[in-house]
Amino acid sequence: MTTGAENRISDLIERIRYHNDRYYVDDAPEVPDAEYDELVRELVELEAAHPELVRPDSPTQMVGADPSTLFTPVEHQVPMMSLDNAFDRGELVAWADRAQRRLATEELGDLVCELKFDGLAVSLRYENGVLVQGATRGNGRVGEDITANILTIKSVPHRLPEGAPRVLEVRGEVYMPLVAFEALNAQQEAEGKPRYANPRNTAAGSLRQKDPATTATRGLSMWCYSVGEVQGGPALNTHSATLEYLDSLNLPVNPETTTVDSLDKAWEFVERSEGMRHDLPYEIDGAVIKVDRLDLQQGLGATSRAPRWAIAYKLPPEERTTKLLDIHVSIGSKGKATPFAVLEPVFVGGSTVAMATLHNEDQVKAKDVRPGDTVVVRKAGDVIPEVLGSVLADRAPDSAEWEFPEVCPCLHQQPLIREEGDAAHYCLYPRCPEQLRGWIEHFAARNALDIEHLGEQRVRLFIDLGFISDVGDIYALPYESIRELEGFGELSVANLTAAVEASKQQSLARLLVGLNIRHLGDTTCELLADAFGSLDQIMEASVEELAEVDGIGPIMAESVHEFFQSEVNREIIEKLRAAGLNFAGHADNVDEEALPQTLEGMTIVVTGGVEGYTRDGVGAAIKARGGKSPSSVSSKTTALVVGENPGTSKLDKAEKLGIPVLDEAQFQRLIETGELP
Ligand code: IVH
């Protein structure tokens, strides 16, 4: 399901981008506006239904759905060029030799060594010292006007000091400092949203936001490394003097920049940059060596793509070998079983890696990695550790192919099931402790039941202490025992109780989100809540009825049906019902005060069908009048109402405990007057 949406989103993004180029860059649109609008509309809708699939580089994130609000194109008077690459010392030497030969009689002279910042190139235009325009590089000739977003970057001055040139175009790299990236991801996680993959793409996405207020929150920064069009200003003969001049105008120039007098020393800088890589507060992907003298730069000129007076040394993505100790399976909050590599810890890409995801069974097979193998590990996008494959020469002769485990690693050892057309295995046992923590956290999350004061640590603690074994237990926490725990004062217990109580009023849609049903997201939960109006109706709906709802596909319908078929899930639902959660409609509709509170303080259990009420409705009617309506009889029960086709166990128990038993007419009178017969 997700894969289908994901593929369609990629396809749409590609097509929209293509048409953007025809329209904005070539000025020659290939399709009528309406056809273009249709593509954008479909993308917007898909992204709304799958917020987790919204890519930071999606055109909707950059430009909004209306093409007229796209960033305006900016033509670069001096083209923004790229750089040729060198991947080893030999290629660096070859570059210098070529340049030297081209200059025939001259030495290359000093070389400026800079870091190669991993962000995106921009051009800032200052007129009479005032920042008037910021543009992306685009295709080098035409970029996009992102002035409003550039103005939010703190390190970029809006105004240059007195005496700045009439026109000064400054080029540089906008990047996201690592702290800003981490902070953004921490916020994403806190909001239950997916992490951004790497600082560079995130910087690009942040800079192309439609709303500059969003860009302003992203903590972007910039390093300036060259100039474009310049009118007025001092005569400068070298690149290093240009950088010094930019620095004197308060423009951010990177302090690691150095000028050296030989290629050997430039190579030393390159090596140093490799060492520096993981200590810098921003990401680099190499070093750039530039001929310092501007007259020599001019003599060397440029190819259509890149100047001949500069070369980028690209740092390789770091790779290391280590031992694959074992392959384990972790169980996510929805029961998804993900294999991961347990590695002999290895330092790679700036941190120690001891685990790496292997995604799914097919990936393990494709990589042919086996416990005991020596494996190659690297940081994908320099963030997520990845096992590339095994060193086959080092493989032990008796090594065996890894088999996906048949049962869940938890103590219940329920089967792990891989359905047709799905790459993932799942443990479908709702009380699987491996899933439990994730489920409880998901249930309490802001987009679900929003239970403040029930954070990750407390969830872990309550599970460890045996206070919670499913989400229903959240409503039966032993507060007396909790009060005794370290770190729980009166106030924090009161806060927790209040938050748990308040969550009972959350809407049906949120309750559905909390139930953590496979393949359902926030939007699809809302669709179901709107279509059926009560949890009981959803529980009783057939796969066909569920699939009739607009926006609910057959896989989702199947998954919802399957969820409610499970005996354990039904037990959990009954716990939630007994606790008084809102099973019917929206929180806003609950208006208890509107009815006389005739049943205040009473606990009325119902067995069998009561005329004039749905199963859910009778409980709601009791609650709306201030009563409680749990599903089982206990010594606290005020009365048992016996309707059509009653269950015998409740009746037996009520009789044993001497609890009054009411028929439907007596129940009706009780509801109206609050009087027991
Ligand atoms: S100079 C005409 N210097 O690398 C020369 N570029 O791979 C223009 N980059 O598009 C580029 N750090 O976005 C230069 N110190 C640096 C750089 C740098 C990063 C980026 C820039 C360029 C890309 C080429």
Side-chain angles (χ1 to χ4, degrees), residues 398-419:
D398 59 347
S399 86
E401 224 179 278
W402 182 76
E403 296 288 342
F404 208 97
E406 282 175 11
V407 296
C408 177
C410 84
L411 71 161
H412 299 288
Q413 304 206 324
Q414 294 289 309
L416 292 176
I417 292 159
R418 178 175 176 181
E419 279 162 12

Side-chain angles (χ1 to χ4, degrees), residues 79-85 113-122 137 171-174 223-227 239 243 254 257 284-290 297 302 305-307 309-312 314:
M80 290 183 75
M81 305 202 88
S82 191
L83 289 170
D84 285 332
N85 294 321
C113 308
E114 299 171 14
L115 296 176
K116 188 168 186 308
F117 316 107
D118 204 4
L120 69 155
V122 298
R137 184 182 141 203
R171 267 102 197 248
E173 198 87 348
V174 168
W223 295 123
C224 299
Y225 50 63
S226 70
V227 291
H239 178 63
L243 293 181
N254 186 261
T257 307
I284 58 167
D285 59 345
V288 184
I289 311 299
K290 298 174 179 172
Q297 285 193 3
R305 208 186 80 86
W309 46 262
I311 187 92
K314 290 283 281 251

Side-chain angles (χ1 to χ4, degrees), residues 136-177:
T136 61
R137 184 182 141 203
N139 62 7
R141 286 183 300 110
V142 182
E144 287 167 321
D145 188 330
I146 46 156
T147 314
N149 291 344
I150 288 288
L151 286 167
T152 68
I153 301 177
K154 287 209 179 73
S155 50
V156 171
H158 293 185
R159 195 175 271 278
L160 301 179
E162 205 63 27
R166 211 164 44 254
V167 173
L168 175 65
E169 256 179 33
V170 189
R171 267 102 197 248
E173 198 87 348
V174 168
Y175 66 95
M176 182 171 272

Side-chain angles (χ1 to χ4, degrees), residues 566-577:
S566 144
E567 195 66 33
V568 179
N569 281 338
R570 282 195 170 248
E571 275 172 33
I572 294 170
I573 301 287
E574 289 316 312
K575 279 193 192 176
L576 298 175
R577 188 198 302 279

Side-chain angles (χ1 to χ4, degrees), residues 178 256 272-282 347 350:
L178 294 177
E256 309 297 341
R272 266 208 314 283
S273 72
E274 193 151 6
M276 258 188 258
R277 185 177 202 179
H278 302 299
D279 299 325
L280 293 166
Y282 46 85
F347 193 77

Side-chain angles (χ1 to χ4, degrees), residues 411-432:
L411 71 161
H412 299 288
Q413 304 206 324
Q414 294 289 309
L416 292 176
I417 292 159
R418 178 175 176 181
E419 279 162 12
E420 219 183 289
D422 204 337
H425 284 72
Y426 284 89
C427 166
L428 298 177
Y429 186 59
R431 287 221 175 96
C432 163

